[in-house]
Amino acid sequence: LIFIASLLLGTTITISSHHWVMAWTGLEINTLAILPLISKSHHPRAVEAATKYFLTQAAASALVLFSSMTNAWQTGQWDITQLTHPTSCLILTSALAIKLGLVPFHFWFPEVLQGSPLTTGLLLSTVMKLPPIALLYMTSPSLNPTLLTTLAILSTALGGWMGLNQTQIRKILAFSSISHLGWMAIIIAYSPKLTLLNFYLYAMMTTTVFLTLNTTKTLKLSTLMTAWAKTPPLNAMLLLTLLSLAGLPPLTGFLPKWLIIQELTKQDMTPAATLISLLSLLSLFFYLRLAYCTTITLPPHTTNHMKQWRTGKPANITIAILTTMSVMLLPLS
């Protein structure tokens, strides 16, 4: 309870702050609150994940502080929205990229997600991304669009490529998170509201996937193949949620992609839009692998694993609402 409360507190402090030091304090509280949740299981992998997470986030926090101090030294004020000095903008962008796990600072994220349990992985890929994205949102007028576009296209490319031959579901979801962050980063300088929309919808769909996997207790593709026996309706809906996460048209996940491509073409960035759309096909491939293992490997396909017992308890109301929203929200547009 204390750690979850501190997590929410740190996020709230960062989002509602005007002064750079307060934003930094919120980020620190966040980092320190999630560490015990990562290393809770006392597994060596979990401890390793917590160490990696701590080191990267500490470096990123130091860089945030450094960029705000440089800006205050040059301009004489600590207001977050008044970040005007170009050097501190660059340092801040790289610091927040480390915090978020954008390429080329993405190496810690799949490892940490693989080492932590599913619920903590859910926190890491949704709640922990909110404060850095809020800071990007507040400083978005002064950021360097070229740098952000480069980071974004690299993130979508590497998030797609590196997820192709993974078998661990948490790592696949980590790479999917990296490519989604690429979509958020490319548009932040032109239309920050779209970044927030993309983040909310991404968080919703990822929450759905993580909670579904947590219900069926699935961690690998091979166990996903036999998970249909537990809760067949939930698994059928997981197929749709995964395709929505991939951004296929009749589903929710298509909405942010569509609006972002539209905004990029308005900004005369048609080549970038084309490139990032083509690169999201890579991540579509591994979503399809997940979807295939979820629902299409039914009997008479035999797997070497034991079939799982169908549990009496149905999925809870949260998963039902989230699944419905992550499949049906496209008419919002």
Side-chain angles (χ1 to χ4, degrees), residues 190-226:
Y190 305 106
S191 168
K193 287 199 174 73
L194 275 185
T195 300
L196 283 188
L197 172 78
N198 193 346
F199 175 72
Y200 295 146
L201 292 178
Y202 158 75
M204 189 180 68
M205 296 183 287
T206 310
T207 311
T208 316
V209 173
F210 268 107
L211 289 176
T212 306
L213 294 174
N214 197 29
T215 308
T216 55
K217 297 282 179 283
T218 321
L219 294 175
K220 297 198 294 292
L221 283 180
S222 52
T223 46
L224 191 60
M225 286 187 187
T226 54

Side-chain angles (χ1 to χ4, degrees), residues 30-204:
N30 248 354
T31 304
L32 294 174
I34 195 87
L35 282 173
L37 295 176
I38 300 176
S39 56
K40 191 171 57 179
S41 62
H42 300 299
H43 191 279
R45 282 282 169 83
V47 179
E48 183 192 349
T51 315
K52 283 176 179 168
Y53 186 77
F54 174 71
L55 291 172
T56 47
Q57 300 297 312
S61 290
L63 278 177
V64 167
L65 212 49
F66 178 56
S67 76
S68 53
M69 280 166 65
T70 316
N71 189 60
W73 178 253
Q74 293 289 338
T75 60
Q77 30 108 25
W78 286 89
D79 194 349
I80 291 186
T81 49
Q82 303 289 321
L83 188 78
T84 47
H85 194 247
T87 314
S88 49
C89 284
L90 288 176
I91 298 172
L92 180 83
T93 310
S94 53
L96 293 179
I98 298 175
K99 279 234 167 263
L100 289 168
L102 280 169
V103 174
F105 311 108
H106 63 287
F107 296 102
W108 62 274
F109 190 50
E111 309 286 332
V112 170
L113 214 60
Q114 182 55 36
S116 48
L118 277 172
T119 39
T120 312
L122 167 62
L123 287 176
L124 276 172
S125 43
T126 55
V127 180
M128 300 302 287
K129 302 264 186 269
L130 185 56
I133 283 183
L135 287 178
L136 278 176
Y137 181 83
M138 287 189 275
T139 54
S140 59
S142 50
L143 296 176
N144 181 352
T146 320
L147 175 68
L148 284 167
T149 310
T150 316
L151 286 181
I153 287 177
L154 281 176
S155 295
T156 326
L158 279 171
W161 261 313
M162 294 174 73
L164 289 183
N165 52 0
Q166 302 290 338
T167 54
Q168 298 285 342
I169 295 180
R170 283 168 296 183
K171 275 197 175 170
I172 291 183
L173 286 169
F175 287 118
S176 106
S177 175
I178 291 170
S179 58
H180 273 275
L181 282 169
W183 279 90
M184 290 174 222
I186 198 167
I187 200 67
I188 187 88
Y190 305 106
S191 168
K193 287 199 174 73
L194 275 185
T195 300
L196 283 188
L197 172 78
N198 193 346
F199 175 72
Y200 295 146
L201 292 178
Y202 158 75
M204 189 180 68

Side-chain angles (χ1 to χ4, degrees), residues 208-257:
T208 316
V209 173
F210 268 107
L211 289 176
T212 306
L213 294 174
N214 197 29
T215 308
T216 55
K217 297 282 179 283
T218 321
L219 294 175
K220 297 198 294 292
L221 283 180
S222 52
T223 46
L224 191 60
M225 286 187 187
T226 54
W228 58 269
K230 268 191 176 178
T231 45
L234 190 58
N235 255 34
M237 290 309 288
L238 180 60
L239 165 80
L240 287 176
T241 313
L242 286 167
L243 293 182
S244 178
L245 207 48
L248 291 186
L251 309 164
T252 308
F254 179 58
L255 169 61
K257 285 192 166 47

